[in-house]
Amino acid sequence: MTFNLVVGATLAVLVAVTTASRFGQLKSSLTKNGQTTPFVDVGPQNVKEDAYYMWQCMMASMAEYKVQKEASEVAAEMGLSNKADQDYVCYTDLGCFYKNGTLSSMNKLPHNTKTVFYLWTFADQQNPQVLDWKKPATISNSLFRADRPTVVMIHGFANDVNTVWVPDIKAAVFRGHPRGVNFIYVDWGRGASGPDYWQAASNTQVAGAQVAKLICTINNVKHTRSSSFQLIGFSLGAHVSGFTGYRLATYGHARVGKITALDPAGPMFENVHPDARLSPDDADFVQAFHVNGATLTFGGFGLYSRVGHIDFYPNGGRYQPGCPHAIIGAIGDLWNFNFTNMPDSVACNHGRAIDLGVASVDQNCVFASHACRNHSDYRDAKCFTQQKGTMGLFANNVASDDQQFLITRGTSGRFCGRVVKMTFKFTLLQLPTSGSFFLTLVDKFGNEENVGQIVKDESMPPGGALMRVILSEGKVGDLLAAKIRYEPERGILWDSSDTVKVNSIRLTSQESDKTGQTQPNTKMASVHWAIQPVLALFVASSVLLTGAVERSPPSFVVDLDKPAYERWNSVIDANPDLGRDAPEIFKILTGNINMSNDTWGILFLMAEKIHKRLPAPFKEELQGMADRAKMPISLITLINLAYDLTAHCTSVVSTDANGTIWHGRNLDYNATTYLEKYTVHVDFKRGGKVAYSGVTFAGFAGMLTAIKPHAFTFSSNERDVGSFLENLLEMMDPNSKFLMVLIREVLEEAKNFREAISKFSLARMPAAIYVILGGLSNNEGVVLTRNRTHVIHEFAINMQSDRWYVLQTNHDPWLGDPWYDNRRYTVYSTVMSASHPEAIRTWIRNSTELIPPPPVRASASNVVGRFGTFAAVLIVLSRNL
């Protein structure tokens, strides 16, 4: 990355100093009398408190690491690197560890972890013996038996031998080896202690070397082989296992036979070289359970990337059923560490790896999996015939080229069940409909098992089929019947049919295949209305809002022939409160981040520097706005940069029956009052003619919704990757082009849909976004998924494949929208067409309560029948403009 050295170094130092001060306060709060807060787990409440403590430590370390890394890069480019920094450290008998070695990406040397090894054997499962690789007599005089396999358990961050789950895992190891086993628990708690997660992550190297030394000594004293050892590593302990395998090779010994990684730690190990984390090269066979692979900001401790010969992803591998979800929203809460739901979420989701490992030892609990590309395909039963695996601590598996997906239950003590594929086939006489299915299984003795909801708001096409993988608890014996309850989907402009006509239902388990034929045209009663969540984002008329009156935003002209300093005068004059409300607007646009005065100071300094390097005419336009509104130039600049940091939107491009491209967009924010007040429609004119138009906010020189007549339409959606802090630092790169600038440049220069795609594809930007474009002809509609440097995915209308619309929110289309995005609030809705620029319409949404619409199904039924429900809203609206 090339920075302006002086500006970059100054800002990096300011950010580093302020951030270090903030996190220094946190670290102080996480210590007592200069000592790390002790971990003595005696019950569930301590588990929750420790999980919250661990998450705070990780967040602090990760933020501090990122800021210091940026500052170090700038200093290095200026030749200011501290040559006195130590580049390596050596420990007697363990070897040397280098900053530019295995964990060069971490830039921190490991400390001596002073690890303690506890041995339990079949002969004495209560009283552990302490093994010391420096004292071979402790091994030769122990109860260790060379004719038994050896299981080595390695804990994670902020754990030790007193951690609450140690007795459970110990009991599971002995249950899994009824003929006897050597169970060694690795207590590297001094090296894994908080609050410095960064240091603990680096210490995994030394802990791994110490485990390797123990194995070498046991091999020499007891004449065992490395292949008889199985390592089980939880969280950071998984990477300790990996470094054990690496060090065994350097010490002249063979790799261990097996490594089982229980939710290997993600922070600082995601997207690094395999040598810097657990990898398949570290043992004869490596298997991993991924249970909490979400981002750290959203309570994810685990690593989502593959690390083994076979990798299991129960329930998708990010969150687990029955666990509360972590608080989500603004990454700006990083500055306050106020995440009240985090203890429950972290303790449950990340700790579920231990629970599943323990449960897998039960002979009546089999976690069957299937190789699949993603969890969505697995859920839809597209992989039921693919390679099977078994997720278990001591299961014997073979390598899998694909991820292994499975589903588990969320009930404590009984996580497994019978995996069943259900196939519904619908009759040709059925009307197009959508809805939900609820399942109850019945055996020949009349016993029932309520499986619950298995299909939610799915399309049920005439003559089509719907498949789903479900998990039966196994309460019923030989299956006699399946009771299905159907709930029709209720939308804004339509009602799904109260009747679904099912031709057959087939249940296929791994043990048997049962088929039940229903009576033709069977009716299943509707129970209650359910408002469909996605369609609620897009309404066709403001009369659908309680107490709402249709209201368009005020219109203004920005004369491009005028001096840039004066162009926005009429907009600013019509909004006299802008200077007063600007700080609140910025907070809303960036996710209501609660920032300290120090943070505001840093942002203002950065904004002032950024304004000075803005190209013409934007530098002059912003200065004119600021002077007219009597507000600091830093604040108006921040507002114009806000969309590069975070935002929420919904966009759809569709083709109507006449081949016309229509482009719709919602600008979605929870706090709508301020943004509604400052929403404006602007016509940019040159020589008295409209060059391009769009919807924006007073004080914002760019446009998030725009149309170039008879050329193309545009909207941009924030892509929900990266962090506020990362995007902020990326803005300092002079090669990055701000969204405000890029949009206006493309509208000025691109002559058609294809040129717009090209220009939006090539520019470097501070943040990842989705660019949604509509053109003039049938197939001219596309969603470009971008990272900061280039397009990584393109999803376009293709009428030949009957894909007549594309839809985008703020999440990658191949992943689907996450559970927490159930948006209901919108500032404005716009519908436009480049072919009919005069038809652009925008509605300001002045209420947040959605109510059922008036009966308009008759006018929409033909559209729904041909195209489907969601896009019918846009098409019906566009035809009635």
Side-chain angles (χ1 to χ4, degrees):
M1 184 185 301
T2 301
F3 286 95
N4 179 290
L5 295 181
V6 176
V7 174
T10 302
L11 293 175
V13 169
L14 282 170
V15 173
V17 169
T18 303
T19 306
S21 173
R22 177 65 184 93
F23 295 127
Q25 297 171 15
L26 172 70
K27 289 179 179 178
S28 296
S29 70
L30 298 177
T31 59
K32 296 179 180 178
N33 300 322
Q35 299 297 318
T36 301
T37 304
F39 281 79
V40 182
D41 296 291
V42 294
Q45 185 60 36
N46 278 5
V47 174
K48 290 169 57 177
E49 291 173 356
D50 289 352
Y52 190 28
Y53 172 89
M54 290 162 59
W55 183 80
Q56 285 183 306
C57 294
M58 286 187 178
M59 289 292 288
S61 288
M62 288 297 292
E64 188 175 22
Y65 163 74
K66 288 181 180 179
V67 172
Q68 288 191 17
K69 183 180 178 182
E70 294 286 351
S72 297
E73 289 178 358
V74 173
E77 290 190 21
M78 297 182 68
L80 300 177
S81 299
N82 186 357
K83 301 301 183 181
D85 284 350
Q86 190 174 349
D87 292 326
Y88 67 92
V89 62
C90 300
Y91 297 107
T92 304
D93 298 324
L94 295 179
C96 295
F97 303 85
Y98 299 86
K99 271 191 177 181
N100 61 352
T102 307
L103 287 181
S104 58
S105 60
M106 202 162 290
N107 196 32
K108 180 168 285 201
L109 292 173
H111 295 166
N112 192 335
T113 58
K114 297 182 180 179
T115 302
V116 180
F117 301 96
Y118 296 93
L119 168 68
W120 285 270
T121 63
F122 190 78
D124 190 346
Q125 300 180 27
Q126 301 302 320
N127 303 303
Q129 296 175 297
V130 175
L131 305 181
D132 187 342
W133 56 271
K134 296 180 180 179
K135 300 176 181 179
T138 62
I139 297 171
S140 60
N141 296 331
S142 72
L143 296 176
F144 185 98
R145 290 189 55 172
D147 59 343
R148 297 287 186 262
T150 301
V151 174
V152 181
M153 179 70 207
I154 310 171
H155 63 74
F157 177 58
N159 295 153
D160 58 18
V161 73
N162 296 313
T163 299
V164 69
W165 47 258
V166 173
D168 294 331
I169 202 77
K170 182 182 71 172
V173 169
F174 283 108
R175 286 201 313 274
H177 297 83
R179 295 185 179 182
V181 63
N182 305 300
F183 176 57
I184 299 174
Y185 187 84
V186 179
D187 184 356
W188 65 293
R190 296 185 64 173
S193 64
D196 196 344
Y197 174 82
W198 184 2
Q199 185 63 60
S202 181
N203 292 346
T204 55
Q205 302 172 87
V206 169
Q210 291 171 330
V211 177
K213 276 295 184 180
L214 177 72
I215 294 174
C216 292
T217 306
I218 293 175
N219 287 344
N220 293 334
V221 172
K222 292 289 188 176
H223 306 294
T224 54
R225 294 184 177 181
S226 299
S227 58
S228 66
F229 286 77
Q230 177 181 353
L231 309 184
I232 302 175
F234 171 55
S235 194
L236 278 183
H239 301 297
V240 173
S241 300
F243 292 125
T244 298
Y246 168 79
R247 285 286 167 174
L248 278 172
T250 65
Y251 297 153
H253 286 249
R255 300 182 301 184
V256 296
K258 188 175 187 179
I259 292 177
T260 299
L262 303 180
D263 208 27
M268 296 189 178
F269 293 95
E270 191 78 69
N271 301 319
V272 299
H273 192 276
D275 287 346
R277 57 159 172 78
L278 174 66
S279 74
D281 294 332
D282 296 324
D284 292 339
F285 193 83
V286 177
Q287 62 174 5
F289 303 180
H290 301 266
V291 300
N292 191 209
T295 62
L296 178 61
T297 308
F298 296 145
F301 274 19
L303 181 69
Y304 193 80
S305 302
R306 293 196 61 179
V307 295
H309 296 93
I310 187 168
D311 291 73
F312 298 96
Y313 293 82
N315 309 298
R318 300 186 190 277
Y319 300 102
Q320 298 305 306
C323 291
H325 290 293
I327 194 168
I328 55 90
I331 192 172
D333 282 341
L334 168 71
W335 298 94
N336 294 309
F337 295 91
N338 181 23
F339 293 74
T340 54
N341 288 340
M342 197 61 69
D344 292 306
S345 176
V346 171
C348 186
N349 283 293
H350 192 48
R352 183 60 60 84
I354 296 289
D355 296 333
L356 296 178
V358 170
S360 71
V361 181
D362 186 345
Q363 292 184 353
N364 296 320
C365 194
V366 178
F367 293 111
S369 64
H370 291 85
C372 211
R373 291 187 306 168
N374 53 60
H375 182 60
S376 178
D377 283 355
Y378 172 81
R379 182 204 63 176
D380 295 339
K382 296 179 180 179
C383 310
F384 206 66
T385 60
Q386 300 303 311
Q387 177 187 342
K388 298 175 183 178
T390 301
M391 188 182 74
L393 285 182
F394 310 117
N396 293 317
N397 287 291
V398 296
S400 174
D401 291 335
D402 292 314
Q403 298 164 298
Q404 290 277 328
F405 288 92
L406 65 151
I407 50 177
T408 70
R409 301 178 66 250
T411 305
S412 178
R414 184 63 179 172
F415 297 104
C416 58
R418 179 187 298 177
V419 180
V420 178
K421 179 179 76 171
M422 289 199 73
T423 305
F424 300 87
K425 291 189 177 180
F426 306 105
T427 71
L428 289 169
L429 300 178
Q430 176 184 306
L431 293 174
T433 189
S434 61
S436 302
F437 280 148
F438 297 80
L439 172 67
T440 300
L441 299 177
V442 185
D443 67 13
K444 62 183 180 181
F445 300 107
N447 299 314
E448 294 189 356
E449 177 189 337
N450 180 20
V451 178
Q453 187 176 51
I454 58 172
V455 173
K456 180 179 180 181
D457 296 336
E458 293 278 352
S459 175
M460 301 172 186
L466 177 65
M467 296 189 298
R468 188 68 86 244
V469 170
I470 65 170
L471 193 67
S472 164
E473 189 176 355
K475 288 184 176 179
V476 298
D478 292 338
L479 186 63
L480 176 67
K483 295 181 179 180
I484 306 294
R485 176 164 58 91
Y486 164 64
E487 290 186 3
E489 181 182 13
R490 301 303 188 189
I492 296 297
L493 292 183
W494 85 98
D495 296 341
S496 291
S497 173
D498 291 337
T499 301
V500 61
K501 300 177 180 180
V502 180
N503 185 54
S504 67
I505 301 173
R506 176 181 290 269
L507 285 83
T508 308
S509 72
Q510 293 179 325
E511 297 86 15
S512 60
D513 185 344
K514 302 281 186 180
T515 302
Q517 299 292 329
T518 65
Q519 301 240 344
N521 304 337
T522 296
K523 292 187 177 182
M524 299 182 184
S526 168
V527 177
H528 65 267
W529 283 36
I531 292 184
Q532 198 269 357
V534 175
L535 186 59
L537 302 174
F538 235 103
V539 295
S541 171
S542 58
V543 298
L544 303 182
L545 303 175
T546 303
V549 178
E550 182 174 315
R551 180 166 69 96
S552 297
S555 295
F556 297 90
V557 171
V558 170
D559 190 344
L560 297 174
D561 295 321
K562 283 187 175 182
Y565 183 84
E566 303 173 4
R567 289 175 183 173
W568 294 89
N569 284 356
S570 61
V571 177
I572 301 301
D573 291 345
N575 293 275
D577 297 332
L578 179 61
R580 182 196 65 192
D581 293 340
E584 194 65 31
I585 293 173
F586 177 74
K587 287 184 180 181
I588 293 170
L589 290 174
T590 53
N592 285 304
I593 296 173
N594 187 9
M595 289 178 286
S596 66
N597 290 334
D598 288 342
T599 307
W600 274 111
I602 292 172
L603 288 177
F604 267 63
L605 177 60
M606 297 179 83
E608 184 178 344
K609 301 298 183 183
I610 289 172
H611 174 258
K612 290 180 179 179
R613 65 176 176 84
L614 283 176
F618 305 102
K619 180 179 178 181
E620 294 77 11
E621 287 187 12
L622 265 59
Q623 188 66 60
M625 288 185 193
D627 293 347
R628 196 79 173 183
K630 297 181 174 59
M631 58 191 293
I633 187 61
S634 297
L635 188 53
I636 199 78
T637 303
L638 284 175
I639 290 176
N640 279 266
L641 301 180
Y643 205 85
D644 290 273
L645 298 173
T646 178
H648 303 283
C649 304
T650 306
S651 298
V652 60
V653 181
S654 70
T655 306
D656 70 10
N658 299 319
T660 302
I661 295 290
W662 291 94
H663 190 150
R665 98 97 97 249
N666 280 349
L667 193 77
D668 304 321
Y669 283 95
N670 284 354
T672 60
T673 305
Y674 284 101
L675 300 185
E676 291 168 356
K677 178 179 178 180
Y678 294 108
T679 300
V680 295
H681 175 96
V682 177
D683 289 323
F684 290 79
K685 291 187 176 182
R686 180 177 287 109
K689 296 183 178 180
V690 175
Y692 46 90
S693 303
V695 183
T696 186
F697 300 115
F700 183 56
M703 286 186 293
L704 307 178
T705 309
I707 176 173
K708 186 164 186 175
H710 307 293
F712 59 89
T713 54
F714 159 84
S715 63
S716 64
N717 295 6
E718 178 241 6
R719 185 174 171 220
D720 212 2
V721 298
S723 71
F724 176 91
L725 183 60
E726 289 171 339
N727 295 346
L728 196 61
L729 292 173
E730 186 70 20
M731 287 182 179
M732 301 312 299
D733 185 346
N735 295 316
S736 287
K737 185 162 289 188
F738 302 118
L739 186 61
M740 163 194 68
V741 175
L742 179 60
I743 292 169
R744 290 271 300 276
E745 286 184 355
V746 174
L747 288 167
E748 288 279 353
E749 299 169 7
K751 297 181 178 62
N752 53 50
F753 175 76
R754 295 298 168 189
E755 286 189 14
I757 290 178
S758 176
K759 290 183 178 295
F760 276 119
S761 299
L762 299 177
R764 182 185 179 94
M765 305 182 67
I769 67 165
Y770 303 101
V771 175
I772 301 92
L773 294 168
L776 301 175
S777 65
N778 261 348
N779 289 322
E780 290 190 343
V782 67
V783 175
L784 304 177
T785 301
R786 280 190 48 116
N787 59 21
R788 291 186 174 99
T789 58
H790 61 280
V791 172
I792 63 171
H793 182 265
E794 183 175 313
F795 186 59
I797 291 175
N798 188 331
M799 295 300 291
Q800 288 72 29
S801 300
D802 202 29
R803 186 167 68 232
W804 56 273
Y805 75 96
V806 289
L807 169 69
Q808 185 61 51
T809 56
N810 301 104
H811 314 286
D812 290 340
W814 57 90
L815 297 178
D817 288 350
W819 61 268
Y820 53 79
D821 193 345
N822 195 18
R823 60 187 74 184
R824 283 291 186 276
Y825 307 102
T826 293
V827 180
Y828 68 78
S829 299
T830 297
V831 176
M832 53 191 172
S833 172
S835 300
H836 302 285
E838 74 286 351
I840 183 172
R841 293 291 184 274
T842 297
W843 294 266
I844 294 180
R845 309 281 284 278
N846 56 0
S847 173
T848 59
E849 183 180 357
L850 295 174
I851 63 173
V856 295
R857 184 178 176 183
S859 63
S861 60
N862 61 327
V863 181
V864 174
R866 176 185 171 189
F867 294 113
T869 52
F870 181 89
V873 178
L874 178 59
I875 294 172
V876 170
L877 175 58
S878 64
R879 289 178 172 178
N880 290 317
L881 288 176

